[in-house]
Amino acid sequence: MSQSTERREFFRTRADVEVQYRFLADYLQDPDLGKMFRGTTNNLSGGGLLLHGILPKLEWVPDLLMQKMAVGVSLQLPTENAPVLGLARVAWIETIDDRTRHCRLGLRYREITTADRDRLFQFVIHQQVP
């Protein structure tokens, strides 16, 4: 019998963090593209985050999963004045509520500066140490 273990590239924190995000795609003309939304995460690492928020259009799901669309994120860490900015791809989507369009998006950073990734690492490490 084999034992399955989850392998993560980065340590994670369970701290609640506010996230502002927008959906981006060059090929699509839609008034909801580029519009800023607010959400939260309680699962954050230097490699990505679990976003709790609104998905404005259910028809975007295939393009998000096929990485034709990106998600720009701005994380307001409680220990920082300036937000951490990044461009992410959707790794998975779960629990979409048809009525409210609230869902959970697993995001992996596609582009993030070294300085912002370092700020995330520091935040996660400080959350691990009591």
Side-chain angles (χ1 to χ4, degrees):
M1 182 162 100
S2 71
Q3 183 177 15
S4 174
T5 59
E6 182 179 5
R7 293 185 181 160
R8 299 247 184 214
E9 186 177 354
F10 301 101
F11 287 108
R12 297 187 166 275
T13 185
R14 301 286 183 206
D16 290 324
V17 174
E18 180 183 318
V19 182
Q20 291 187 15
Y21 63 99
R22 65 181 74 205
F23 297 93
L24 306 165
D26 292 337
Y27 68 94
L28 188 60
Q29 297 297 319
D30 189 304
D32 286 325
L33 278 175
K35 181 179 175 185
M36 190 65 77
F37 296 93
R38 292 184 183 271
T40 59
T41 184
N42 61 359
N43 189 329
L44 176 65
S45 79
L49 63 122
L50 174 61
L51 174 64
H52 299 260
I54 298 295
L55 179 62
K57 304 265 172 89
L58 295 177
E59 57 265 23
W60 289 357
V61 169
D63 288 346
L64 286 165
L65 292 174
M66 293 179 355
Q67 299 177 19
K68 293 181 180 178
M69 294 178 75
V71 182
V73 295
S74 174
L75 304 164
Q76 190 56 58
L77 301 177
T79 58
E80 299 281 332
N81 291 328
V84 171
L85 303 176
L87 187 63
R89 67 175 180 82
V90 174
W92 51 265
I93 300 173
E94 70 175 40
T95 65
I96 299 175
D97 183 297
D98 290 337
R99 186 178 51 78
T100 65
R101 294 182 322 278
H102 187 271
C103 67
R104 298 187 327 164
L105 302 171
L107 303 179
R108 290 199 46 89
Y109 301 118
R110 202 167 84 183
E111 294 177 26
I112 186 169
T113 66
T114 301
D116 277 352
R117 191 180 305 267
D118 287 346
R119 291 170 53 212
L120 282 173
F121 286 149
Q122 291 298 319
F123 177 73
V124 170
I125 289 168
H126 288 300
Q127 294 297 307
Q128 303 295 321
V129 179

